[in-house]
Each structure stands twice: as C-alpha cells, then as structure tokens.
C-alpha cells in the first residue's frame, strides 16, 4: 500500500503543478527520481513531452535548464565557450599593468571568463536541476556520443583549466520525435516512456483545467471531436496544444455547442489542421459526420 | 532455474525473487530488448522501489527500465504476462513473440538460433573486418554486419536478417551524409579567420580584433534524385531500396525520390514521414507494385515533363532498375538523354549486375548504356557502400 501512496502523491503533485498524468507515467517519474537514470520520452508531437520537464522542475522546486538540439549543435553552444571579448579587453588592461605573460595567461583562462552553456550549467548547480535535452534526434551522432560520456561521468573537461566535476547530478530528461533513430547505447542508458495521445477522460480534464470558462457541454464535444479526428489518416494529428487552441478559439467565436453553424466550425479548424493536405482532404461532409458523432 | 523453483519454500525468498528478476531481464534480452548487466542490477532496485507484490507498478517500472523504443513498448506487456502471471509456464514462451503464434514447439530451436545470431551481430559492432573501421572508426553500422554486407539481398529470407539489413541500409545512407558533410563542414569547423577583413574591422577599436571575421564555406551538397523501379521483377529488392531512399532523404537536405512501375509517383513525402510504422506499411504497398508491364521510357518522360525543374548542375540522378522494359528503347534513350543533358551525373544501379554471368543484353539496357556515367551493381550492402565515393566526388 505504501508504494501506491507514493504514486498517488506523485500524481497529486503533478496535478497541483498543472499536469494531468496517468498512473503509469507518475510511476515512471517516481522511479526516475529514485534511480537517477536519464529518462527518454518519445511520442507524437504535441502530447506534452516537454511539458513534463517543466512540471517536474516545479514539483522538485528546482531550476529547469533547457538545451534545444539542432543539427550542427556543437560543444561551444552546448557546454562552454570562452568570453573572447572580455579576454581581449583583459589582455589590454594587463599589458598596461606590465603583468608577465604567464600570469596574464593564467588570469584570462580562469572561470571568470568562462561562459557556461546548458550542459556545464546543469552539473555545476548547488541543487540538482532538471535538465531538458529537447529533440535529441535533431542533433548529430557526434553530439549524442559526447552526451553519453557526460551522462556517465558527470564531469566536463576544459583543456585550459582542467576537469570540472559535477556539484550536483541533474535529473536528465530527453525527448525525441523520431527524426532519426537514436543509438542503442543511448537508449539502453535511459529509462523509457512512450507518451500516447490522451484518452477521452484525461483530455477532458485537461481542457477543463486549462480553460475553465468552457462549459461542460462544449468541452465534452470538443474533446470527442478531436478524439475522432485523430482516428482519421492525417499527416499531422492534432496534439493537446491544438485541442486547447481550438477550444479557446471556439469560445472567442461565441460557439456554445458544436451542432450550431458548420461554416464557423470549418473556419475554426485552422487550429487543428496544420497541413494543406489535411485541410484539403477534410471536406465539409466529413466534418459534419465528425460533428454529429461528437454531439 | 528448476532447482530454484523447487526449494523456494525453504530458501531465502528474496534470493529467489532476485533470481527470477535476473532471469526475466535475460529473457527480455533474448527477445531483442536492448539490455545489459547494468539493467539486471537496476531491475533489483526497481523491484525494491515498486514492491514485488504490486504487479501493476512492477510492470510499469520494469517497462520503463527495459524498453528502449516504441516497438519494445508495444510488446512488453505480452512478455511480462507470459513470464510473471500464473498459468504461463516459462517453457511455453517462445523466444520470438511473433514466431510463438505461428508455430508451437517444432520451430523453437530454429527461431532461437536466429534470434541469437541477430543478437550476436548487434552486440559486437566493428567485429567483422577491422580494416575499413580503421580509417575513422565511424563505420559501426556497416561493419557490424560484415557477413550481411556481401550477401545478396535476394537471398535474405528470414525476417530478422531483413530487419538487420533495413537498419544497415538506413545507417549506411546516414553515414554517406556524414562523409559528404564532413568535407562540407571542414571549411566551417576549420573556420579560418579572414585576417584581412578582421584587421580592417579592428581599426576602430585601436587595432584590437574584437570582431572576428571568418572565411565562409564554399562546398555544397549534391542534390540527389532517386528513381526506384518497383515492378514485379524488382520485388525482391525494391523494399530495401525504398528504405535506402528513406535513409538518404532523411539526411541529404536536398533530395527527392520517385517510384515507378507503369507510371511515376513522387514518394519523398511518404518516406520523410517520421512515423516508422506508417512508412513501413506504405512502403510495403508501394513496393508491391501495380500490375502491367514496366515502361521505363514513359515514366522518365513524365519525370521530364513534371519534375525537370529539379535538375541542375549539382544534381545526381540515380535510377535503380533491372532494365527489364516493355516500352520502346528509343523512347528510353530520348528521355535519358534529356535528363543527362541537365544533370551533373547519371547513375544507374542494377541489382542483376551483381549476379554471376549477367550481362546487360536487354535492348533497353544496351540503348541506355552510352548515356550513363556510372553503371554499377546494387545487389548487396557492399555495392551500395561503394557508391559513397561517387556521391562525394562532385
């Protein structure tokens, strides 16, 4: 029973921080905090992967450090960089003071002139932060290999100063959208959770929590409509963010129930359908069918 | 394990549970889950944290620990139930879940062997021929399956081999990009400072070079255009080539792919889709082809009509086909000539060329030969790998 309580606690904390999670996710997150392994989150875009990291930082009351990956990400923008401008100015000043070259070198290559980028920042905090490495699949393999090394040793070596050991172990969360397949080594090192599109009940709770003004009837219809929409063969399925956008848009348009005006609904679908093909393929008849089902 | 199971009442309970956990982790490993010794240890911590009596939490915990991709996620429950829930004695469980449904007992040893061999291949990267790994140590994808590298695609029958090959083909495509880009990047990474411009800029700071000016890179990647034959005669190969095309598309920023049989279809969008499952099923559909004869000339003609704008001085056109054609050879040469005139390089890959004793004697192939810059075999990994230098030399 004790363990169940722990999971319930976690779930409750997440809800208080504004995130509605299934029990299985709460259980994984609990484990994640206990095992101190990195957590790899996968799932379609818009299911709330990034949000989990933000909420966790709130639950632990610790800073969130985010590293957005992109192709060509390198050590200079991920780990550290020297502050060249400062160094040059310092050299000028030291020249005036007639400091010996050796001393000068020691001075300008000190931590004072080191710019910390997210990864170095994450391991030198007083308190363990949540480190979010977003869309790791966008970075290239070389960076992935470097990350693996960092995640096992928790230290960074800077040739000019030496090794900087970690003062705290960050909670590492990685997210991936499957742009390319990740290496087995990285996958193996991580806990794994696949975040699915939410079930009807969960999505309804999310909509109610985020847009309190929405009436119970419209909320129910909106969620039912989106759930049906996801079953269609779309190129880009709407995520939770899209559902929320759409609900807010409908509120703005003074729509109280989905069975009102087809044209208004059609116009508001720009919130849900994000590619030309999808909005082209979804004709009025199809929308009416979905609306009838949702109502 | 049976001895453990019989003395359970007397022996230490926790010891038994530990052994059962370790056994479960090993079972997962035998089923192609990516787990190692570290996971055996951590499984104990998971069990301690989740509580062994709470099956739901134990399931979730072990799932998070042992799974590493979506496929694992989907089949974990089956494995967990089979091992932990009463009524399922372990020996009834087959090492490969898909095989378990097809054959009950007689296929067991066979399946086990193939599972083990694929694991062995996956666990020892760089074990094959060390010579090609030596130059930069980045060839893990290709050298892990050295034995697969020289095997004809056509001879691959088992699904596990096929899967391994799919992965290899994609990672090979990815590796090609790395090579191509490494050259392209060396300009950027070696980033030479443009001294003259830097000094000029520094004049207003009294000669201190506060703003550095770098030399811009020049090299550009080639534009790739793949045209894949998916006719009946190519059916043994086309699926793999489509995977290869997917790999290339994902990594070359400027690439497009087409499939043809009786008509030409652009498939770049389908291939670029990030959902592997959907890509797989649509690839399977595309690679089945349509009925009717292959008309290469006509299809290339519709390429010229609709997509000729893709061709420029840095595009490489790769046609993958066995050259078996029901159309007129004149038509083919005319269309190929049009393409050839507008692109940098025209490559024709023929999977039949790798076979012993094959000579391109069909009328179409003979007619096409003079126009082709590179006529190469494409029947196994090795032959695809050899393409790399052609793609870089631009």
């Amino acid at each position: 029973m004790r363990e169940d309580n722990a999971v319930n606690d976690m779930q409750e904390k997440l809800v208080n921080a504004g995130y509605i999670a299934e029990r299985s996710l709460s259980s994984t997150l609990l484990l994640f905090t206990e095992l101190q392994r990195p957590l790899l989150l996968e799932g379609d875009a818009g299911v709330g992967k990034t949000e989990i990291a933000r909420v966790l930082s709130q639950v632990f009351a610790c800073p969130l450090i985010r590293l957005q990956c992109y192709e060509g990400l390198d050590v200079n923008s991920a780990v550290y960089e020297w502050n060249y401008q400062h160094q040059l100015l310092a050299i000028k000043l030291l020249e005036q003071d007639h400091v010996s070259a050796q001393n000068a070198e020691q001075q300008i290559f000190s931590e004072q002139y080191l710019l910390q980028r997210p990864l170095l920042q994450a391991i030198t905090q007083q308190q363990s932060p949540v480190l979010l490495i977003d869309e790791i699949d966008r970075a290239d393999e070389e960076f992935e290999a470097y990350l693996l090394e960092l995640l096992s040793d928790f230290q960074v070596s800077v040739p000019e100063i030496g090794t900087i050991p970690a003062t705290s172990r960050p909670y590492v969360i990685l997210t991936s959208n499957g742009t390319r397949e990740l290496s087995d080594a990285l996958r193996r090192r991580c806990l794994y959770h696949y975040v699915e599109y939410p079930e009807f009940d969960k999505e309804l709770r999310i909509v109610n929590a985020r847009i309190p003004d929405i009436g119970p009837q419209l909320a129910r219809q909106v969620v039912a409509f989106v759930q049906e929409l996801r079953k269609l063969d779309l190129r880009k399925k709407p995520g939770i963010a899209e559902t929320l956008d759409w609900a807010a848009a409908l509120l703005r348009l003074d729509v109280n129930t989905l069975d009102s005006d087809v044209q208004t609904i059609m116009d508001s679908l720009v919130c849900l359908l994000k590619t030309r093909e999808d909005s082209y393929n979804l004709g009025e008849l199809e929308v009416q069918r979905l609306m009838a089902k949702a109502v | 394990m049976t001895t453990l199971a019989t003395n359970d009442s007397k022996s230490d309970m926790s010891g038994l549970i530990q052994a059962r956990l370790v056994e479960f982790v090993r079972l997962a490993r035998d089923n192609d889950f990516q787990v190692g010794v570290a996971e055996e240890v951590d499984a104990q911590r998971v069990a301690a944290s989740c509580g062994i009596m709470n099956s739901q939490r134990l399931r979730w915990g072990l799932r998070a620990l042992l799974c590493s991709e979506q496929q694992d996620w989907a089949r974990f429950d089956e494995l967990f139930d089979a091992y932990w829930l009463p009524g399922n004695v372990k020996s009834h469980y087959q090492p490969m879940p898909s095989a378990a449904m097809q054959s009950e007992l007689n296929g067991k040893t066979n399946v086990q062997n193939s599972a083990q061999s694929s694991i062995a291949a996956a666990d020892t990267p760089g074990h094959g021929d060390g010579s090609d790994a030596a130059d930069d140590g980045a060839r893990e994808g290709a050298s892990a399956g050295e034995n697969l590298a020289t095997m004809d695609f056509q001879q691959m029958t088992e699904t596990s081999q096929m899967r391994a090959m799919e992965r290899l083909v994609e990672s090979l495509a990815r590796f090609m990009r790395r090579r191509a880009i490494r050259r392209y990047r060396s300009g950027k990474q070696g980033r030479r400072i443009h001294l003259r411009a830097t000094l000029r800029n520094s004049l207003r700071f009294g000669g201190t070079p506060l703003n550095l000016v770098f030399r811009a890179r020049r090299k550009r990647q080639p534009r790739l255009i793949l045209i894949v034959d998916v006719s009946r005669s190519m059916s043994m190969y086309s699926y793999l080539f489509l995977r290869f095309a997917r790999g290339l598309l994902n990594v070359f920023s400027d690439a497009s792919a087409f499939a043809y049989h009786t008509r030409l279809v652009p498939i770049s969008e389908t291939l670029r889709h990030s959902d592997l499952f959907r890509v797989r099923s649509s690839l399977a559909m595309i690679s089945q082809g349509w009925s009717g004869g292959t008309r290469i000339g006509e299809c290339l003609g519709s390429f010229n009509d609709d997509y000729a704008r893709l061709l420029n001085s840095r595009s490489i056109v790769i046609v993958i086909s066995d050259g078996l054609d029901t159309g007129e050879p004149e038509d083919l040469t005319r269309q190929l000539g049009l393409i050839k005139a507008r692109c940098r390089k025209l490559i024709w890959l023929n999977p039949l060329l790798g076979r012993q004793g094959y000579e391109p004697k069909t009328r179409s192939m003979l007619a096409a030969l003079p126009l082709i810059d590179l006529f190469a075999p494409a029947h196994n990994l090795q032959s695809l790998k050899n393409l790399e230098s052609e793609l870089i030399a631009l």
Side-chain angles (χ1 to χ4, degrees), chain B residues 125-369:
Chain B
H127 237 247
D129 182 0
S131 62
D132 69 1
D135 57 357
D136 56 15
R139 290 217 180 200
E140 66 276 53
S143 50
E146 200 58 44
N147 49 343
L148 285 176
T150 49
M151 185 177 203
D152 196 308
F153 290 146
Q154 205 170 17
Q155 288 163 3
M156 270 178 298
T157 45
E158 289 174 38
T159 30
S160 63
Q161 274 179 329
M162 194 69 189
R163 278 282 147 79
M165 185 56 83
E166 278 174 24
R167 261 192 235 164
L168 282 184
V169 161
E170 264 200 54
S171 75
L172 171 67
R174 238 180 286 143
F175 176 70
M176 283 182 174
R177 193 262 330 222
R178 268 206 263 173
R179 268 297 181 78
I181 276 189
R182 207 172 286 161
R183 281 172 61 103
Y184 161 80
R185 261 200 196 153
S186 66
K188 183 186 164 197
Q189 269 200 343
R191 276 205 279 202
R192 301 268 164 75
I193 291 174
H194 198 317
L195 269 183
R196 178 179 283 188
T198 306
L199 281 179
R200 187 172 189 93
N201 264 6
S202 67
L203 282 180
R204 56 189 155 131
F205 304 117
T208 307
L210 276 186
N211 293 328
L212 301 179
V213 180
F214 297 99
R215 225 167 234 179
R217 55 182 196 255
R218 286 239 175 88
K219 205 95 183 151
R220 297 185 76 179
Q221 274 187 302
R223 165 181 287 181
L224 284 188
I225 293 155
L226 288 144
I227 304 178
V228 185
D229 185 344
V230 291
S231 60
R232 216 30 72 68
S233 58
M234 288 280 289
S235 59
M236 302 299 286
Y237 297 101
S238 45
Y239 185 73
L240 269 174
F241 286 130
L242 289 172
R243 282 289 298 233
F244 183 62
R246 175 174 137 92
L248 287 178
L249 280 183
N250 275 343
V251 297
F252 278 87
S253 53
D254 193 0
S256 33
F258 300 87
Y260 75 85
H261 179 204
T262 51
R263 60 200 169 83
L264 187 84
V265 190
I267 51 172
S268 314
E269 279 307 309
T270 319
L271 291 177
R272 278 219 176 86
H273 202 283
S274 59
D275 185 343
L276 202 63
F277 286 116
R278 265 167 85 174
V279 172
R280 257 200 202 132
S281 57
S282 38
L283 281 195
M285 279 210 335
I286 295 170
S287 63
Q288 274 165 12
W290 307 279
S291 54
T294 320
R295 294 165 181 277
I296 308 180
E298 219 170 89
C299 294
L300 292 184
S302 64
F303 174 80
N304 276 328
D305 289 344
D306 300 339
Y307 301 102
R309 65 190 153 75
L310 291 175
L311 299 174
N312 65 13
S313 61
R314 49 180 193 96
S315 35
I316 298 181
V317 178
I318 304 178
V319 180
I320 304 178
S321 167
D322 53 9
L324 301 175
D325 186 13
T326 56
E328 287 300 308
E330 290 75 31
D331 200 19
L332 175 64
T333 40
R334 199 160 51 81
Q335 300 299 347
L336 267 186
L338 283 175
I339 294 180
K340 162 87 177 154
R342 299 186 62 176
C343 71
R344 180 119 202 160
K345 205 177 256 180
L346 179 58
I347 299 177
W348 189 298
L349 299 180
N350 190 334
L352 297 183
L353 199 57
R355 286 206 201 144
Q356 281 197 332
Y358 171 83
E359 278 179 51
K361 275 191 186 141
T362 57
R363 287 204 304 146
S364 312
M365 212 60 248
L366 284 176
L369 270 183

Side-chain angles (χ1 to χ4, degrees), chain A residues 10 40 54 67 72 107 121 124 130 141 145 173 183 203 253 260 277 283 288 294-295:
Chain A
M10 191 64 174
L40 174 63
R54 195 190 58 73
L67 175 66
Q107 231 169 41
Q121 224 180 338
T124 51
V130 172
E141 285 93 342
I173 293 186
S183 75
E203 195 164 16
L253 293 171
S260 55
E277 276 166 279
Q288 271 175 340
V295 177

